Amino acid sequence: ESVSQKYDIMNDLMSLGVHRLWKEGFVDWMAPNSNQHLVDLAGGTGDIAFQFLKRGGKHVSIVDINEEMIKVGKQRKESCSFNNKISWLACDAEKLSLKNECADLVSISFGLRNVTNREAVLNEVLRVLKPGGRFMCLEFSKVKPAILKSLYDVWSFNLIPLVGEKVTGDKDSYKYLVESIRRFPSQESLIELMQSVGFISVKVRNLSGGIVAIHSGWKI
């Protein structure tokens, strides 16, 4: 809540604007069509939802536990343009107040790090997906090239909290962000977790040398 009003600005500063390309690549792989209903978890400010609709998706349910983030999303001009194609829902991703098998796609972008129980979230995703539906996750991951990892560590662990303090006045939230990235499972571990709860054909694509990764899996 303390960073919600400056959340999008900080995303640009922290990633030097590259988060926009990551999200475009995410939606590219999603390949929206006019028959699809997307449930976008941790989607409060609307980046993924708006891109999905711009590319022809039918409807999006934007879910976020943080009502301040939802308020920011509703204030964006795209929200007015797509008002009849968006539903907003404030709830916990571990206990979704959605019907069984209601979604063609479920996505989560930079949110899976922040849940208490990832397995519970993935089981909820399976519950709300239709048979043959797809789950996609865009998240910070483990950097592969050693030289890039060294540079990335300096930037993330030392500079991001300082930038966060200057822009939002909240250094602690960005110290948490960096620590949550450090603790998040590797690409291979997340594949194993997705498979263990029942997803099939799980694949991963690394972006920017593994700074972020896209995971994709399907419900039988």
Side-chain angles (χ1 to χ4, degrees):
E1 293 178 354
S2 65
V3 302
S4 59
Q5 293 297 325
K6 299 290 181 68
Y7 180 78
D8 291 327
I9 294 171
M10 275 300 298
N11 282 345
D12 280 329
L13 292 173
M14 287 187 299
S15 70
L16 305 179
V18 179
H19 78 100
R20 298 174 184 270
L21 299 178
W22 295 334
K23 290 169 182 173
E24 286 180 10
F26 185 57
V27 180
D28 282 345
W29 197 11
M30 192 182 292
N33 69 57
S34 59
N35 296 316
Q36 290 176 326
H37 170 213
L38 169 69
V39 172
D40 185 36
L41 305 179
T45 60
D47 278 357
I48 300 303
F50 299 145
Q51 284 206 38
F52 173 81
L53 293 172
K54 286 176 182 177
R55 300 190 195 196
K58 181 180 180 180
H59 189 272
V60 181
S61 297
I62 299 178
V63 179
D64 204 300
I65 198 171
N66 188 328
E67 294 191 29
E68 291 301 315
M69 289 291 189
I70 289 177
K71 287 179 184 177
V72 172
K74 286 181 175 180
Q75 290 166 2
R76 291 178 60 173
K77 62 181 180 180
E78 296 97 328
S79 180
C80 297
S81 302
F82 295 116
N83 186 50
N84 63 333
K85 295 186 175 183
I86 300 174
S87 302
W88 303 87
L89 182 62
C91 75
D92 188 340
E94 296 177 25
K95 298 177 182 177
L96 294 171
S97 52
L98 292 166
K99 295 180 180 179
N100 294 348
E101 299 183 355
C102 66
D104 302 288
L105 292 161
V106 177
S107 63
I108 187 166
S109 174
F110 302 113
L112 195 59
R113 282 175 298 108
N114 298 321
V115 303
T116 305
N117 187 333
R118 296 185 191 108
E119 186 174 347
V121 172
L122 294 176
N123 278 313
E124 278 292 87
V125 170
L126 279 173
R127 181 182 66 78
V128 302
L129 275 174
K130 298 175 183 177
R134 186 183 189 187
F135 170 63
M136 294 188 66
C137 172
L138 173 65
E139 188 53 89
F140 291 108
S141 199
K142 303 304 180 189
V143 180
K144 298 298 183 179
I147 294 177
L148 178 59
K149 184 179 185 304
S150 297
L151 293 172
Y152 177 66
D153 285 348
V154 170
W155 169 246
S156 60
F157 298 133
N158 297 319
L159 297 179
I160 284 179
L162 295 177
V163 175
E165 183 177 31
K166 291 290 185 183
V167 175
T168 70
D170 186 348
K171 185 177 182 179
D172 287 343
S173 287
Y174 288 93
K175 287 174 70 176
Y176 158 76
L177 182 147
V178 172
E179 287 301 319
S180 71
I181 294 171
R182 188 199 298 260
R183 295 194 302 266
F184 194 70
S186 67
Q187 291 88 329
E188 295 77 16
S189 295
L190 186 53
I191 288 174
E192 291 175 4
L193 178 58
M194 289 173 64
Q195 290 172 333
S196 73
V197 301
F199 288 100
I200 65 167
S201 301
V202 180
K203 293 182 171 61
V204 61
R205 291 183 181 177
N206 286 322
L207 304 178
S208 301
I211 291 177
V212 301
I214 305 171
H215 285 73
S216 168
W218 299 80
K219 176 178 176 177
I220 298 174

